[in-house]
Amino acid sequence: MTTEERLDRIEHVTAGIAEERRKDHEEDRQLWRDTQRQINELSARTLQMGDELRYAIDRLAEESRAAHKRFDAADRRLEERIADMVSAIGQLTARMGVPPQPPQ
């Protein structure tokens, strides 16, 4: 093989290596773009889920406060009914002449 043929062969191999590196570089850039896109999509979904979760927690807290008010009102009404019944029983026993019994 002559020197000229050897130089042609080296140029051919070098050109092949350079083309391979260019293809690898472009492939790496595409992978990087895809990764960045996926990261951006994931970030957007995470923010959306955070907003939805915050809304759900706020709604649940409001429902809990409303239920607490209803239960408090029902509890007060029940206490009043019990007090009225105890009073009525006391009045009934007084009219019937039954002496009150001490608590045991």
Side-chain angles (χ1 to χ4, degrees), residues 11-22:
E11 286 175 0
H12 178 72
V13 170
T14 304
I17 292 171
E19 179 64 20
E20 203 173 295
R21 285 190 37 84
R22 187 193 62 74

Side-chain angles (χ1 to χ4, degrees), residues 35-72:
T35 302
Q36 289 301 311
R37 181 184 48 76
Q38 290 174 354
I39 289 171
N40 290 338
E41 289 173 1
L42 181 60
S43 295
R45 276 191 252 147
T46 302
L47 288 172
Q48 181 183 4
M49 288 175 60
D51 290 343
E52 291 171 1
L53 181 60
R54 205 172 1 267
Y55 172 76
I57 289 171
D58 290 345
R59 191 182 73 237
L60 181 60
E62 184 57 38
E63 290 173 2
S64 177
R65 284 189 286 272
H68 184 72
K69 287 179 184 177
R70 288 192 309 273
F71 292 142
D72 278 350

